Amino acid sequence: MDLKSLIPFAVGAGSDRDPFALMRREMERMFEDWGRGVTVASGFLSPKVDVSETEAGLEIHAELPGLEPKDIDLELDGDVLTLKAETGSVREEKDEKRKYHLVERSKGTYLRRFQLPFAADEAGITASFDKGVLTVKVPRAQPAERPSRKISISGS
């Protein structure tokens, strides 16, 4: 028996006209899109970030959609900047005519830690949140000024 005769529309597998191949590609694209932007590591959500180092210091942009500034914690401990945020949502639907009730809940914790490549000016760190994007600016600490000192040289 020729198996090609069982394929719809008599086209080869993987062809652009093969409905099963098209469905598989569409499902793969859907799962890629679903996971884009957030990865899960050790039980925590890891948001997408852009980190750039400038002459002034470090600039971090983190995508935190659906959150409010009150949900976000930033902490500097030594040379490690920690970003932590709690997310949670509830969607509820009811239809008394059809007798169904649906509640969908999701909850998670975003967590990212950044090792600073320089000493930071702790008092100068700023953070702003606009349209789901957190922007953190970490300026470099100014090196401590040490006065110069004349050193005497002893000789024989």
Side-chain angles (χ1 to χ4, degrees):
M1 173 181 218
D2 182 18
L3 294 179
K4 287 184 181 179
S5 66
L6 297 176
I7 298 173
F9 311 110
V11 292
S15 167
D16 285 339
R17 292 180 29 172
D18 182 286
F20 296 108
L22 290 172
M23 183 175 70
R24 179 179 178 171
R25 277 196 299 268
E26 186 63 23
M27 289 183 71
E28 287 172 354
R29 186 195 58 77
M30 180 184 69
F31 282 112
E32 287 173 7
D33 288 348
W34 176 75
R36 189 171 289 138
V38 176
T39 54
V40 179
S42 66
F44 292 105
L45 302 170
S46 183
K48 263 190 174 175
V49 296
D50 295 332
V51 180
S52 57
E53 189 171 356
T54 65
E55 288 183 23
L58 200 66
E59 195 167 308
I60 301 169
H61 298 274
E63 292 181 4
L64 299 167
L67 294 179
E68 297 292 325
K70 65 179 176 52
D71 301 325
I72 303 169
D73 262 340
L74 277 175
E75 182 178 307
L76 181 64
D77 185 12
D79 62 349
V80 176
L81 180 69
T82 301
L83 161 63
K84 186 175 181 181
E86 296 288 329
T87 180
S89 66
V90 176
R91 189 181 119 226
E92 188 172 331
E93 292 180 19
K94 286 184 181 182
D95 187 346
E96 295 300 324
K97 292 178 185 176
R98 293 187 180 176
K99 306 280 186 206
Y100 79 86
H101 184 83
L102 171 71
V103 177
E104 292 181 338
R105 299 178 190 269
S106 64
K107 186 171 174 88
T109 301
Y110 289 102
L111 180 66
R112 285 296 292 261
R113 290 196 170 103
F114 305 94
Q115 179 84 34
L116 300 179
F118 52 79
D121 174 10
E122 293 182 27
I125 297 174
T126 60
S128 61
F129 190 73
D130 185 37
K131 297 179 183 169
V133 177
L134 174 70
T135 300
V136 181
K137 294 182 181 179
V138 182
R140 297 175 192 275
Q142 297 300 322
E145 299 251 346
R146 294 186 181 177
S148 62
R149 184 186 98 170
K150 181 79 174 163
I151 301 170
S152 63
I153 301 173
S154 61
S156 50

